[in-house]
Amino acid sequence: MTGEMTVTESRASDAALVARIVQRDESALAALYDRYSGMLSPVLNRILRDSQAAEEILQDIFYQLWRSATQFDASRGSLPGWLLVIGRNRAISRLRRHNPASGEELLENTVVLPTNLESTIAQQQLVGKVKGALDSLPKEQRAAVELAYFEGLTHSEIAERTGDPLGTVKTRLRSAVETLKRNLKT
Amino acid sequence: MSGTHPTREEDFDLYALGALDGDEKAAFEAHLASCASCKMKLAEATGRMAMLALAAPPASPSPGVKERLMRQVLATGRGPIETAAGVAPEKEGIFARWWGLLLPVAGAFALASVLLWLHNEQLNRQIAELRITVDQQQKQIAQAHEIAELMTARDTVVVSLAMQKNQPEGTARVLYNAQHGMLVYDGHLAPTPSGMSYQLWLVPMSGAPISAGVFNPAKGEMNSIMAKVPPGTAAKAFAVTLEPAGGMPAPTGPMILVGPVS
């Protein structure tokens, strides 16, 4: 018996696609866009709450990858990790009207993700795990983490925003990252 | 080395989160600049905190983003265009003197016009080709989004497929939603022997196994299968077998990977 519809595909690794980008292969960039744009778009929209601005940054990140692919060293970190960090930094910069981040980010950041995110399934599984880890935090801790991550606020700025004592905010965030570290282990 | 190592491991995560400020941040950065082991810890913490991005509510970019990106790449980013531009001035310098002697100015303009026209035609062809590619990829994205949404449904199960004894190494996972009859397989397997293919099967609670796809992985590449089976099919297990090239109506070869649905 045969299923009604089947789509199969073989996928090159991130490193192989980056190597093809260095050779000026546009289809490799398109493949990486397909692989990771769906992962980046939610966080850009969550930070900026402006789909047009989020799309501009999304395009900009992948265009930077096209221009700077020779600088990417897979041994120093994972591509999706870099994309997430660069995407968040740029969105926060825009949100807070800082100068846009420079094109040197690919060189400066080393990001080690504890899991391979090259497949859709892996991405979807991690989504569930991260949401579960955040759900496990007490409400105040979760709110503090979200203010730091999605709005780019420091300890002091969170205290100012919420009206809570600085020491309380620090304790909450410290406890939160301890719990997240434990719950996000693979 | 400046300063001492951070005394608390959470400092790496707090720095990666962007929460440190003032003296705390300055001291951390001063130490980090000269400490390789702390840089490594920070890289791990940065990855950990980066994963928080995945908790954001779902949002998909419009298909126009990819189209604009690829146009931007085509218009400004291609190496050969830059190389050609770099070479052009030298040729122009050599020939310009002869043209000044042999051809009237009007002839030079005419030649330049033809060259520009040819270049324009070439660019138009590239844009047309790219548009076709973008259209195809937009359809693929739309399909991928549809499947991704389905696969995040609460009643979707994840099945890990385990390697069988004396069989080639491999790992795979299947996401399956029985209500919608949709499955997604992702796995790594060694290339098949010549004349053979791998075949993925859904083993239902009752009845014959259902083929969910045939594939031949290249070395080092991951294979994905998206397949639809009759909605409401309760699955007992998923399996990958080695079959003659192109697959078989029912499993005949050895089982390479198997995963029961719990």
Side-chain angles (χ1 to χ4, degrees), chain B residues 72-90:
Chain B
Q72 187 179 19
V73 163
L74 188 65
T76 62
R78 301 190 81 176
I81 293 172
E82 289 168 13
T83 305
V87 171
E90 189 185 348

Side-chain angles (χ1 to χ4, degrees), chain A residues 4-5 10 31 43 67 138 144:
Chain A
E4 292 169 13
M5 175 272 288
S10 292
V43 65
R67 286 186 297 132

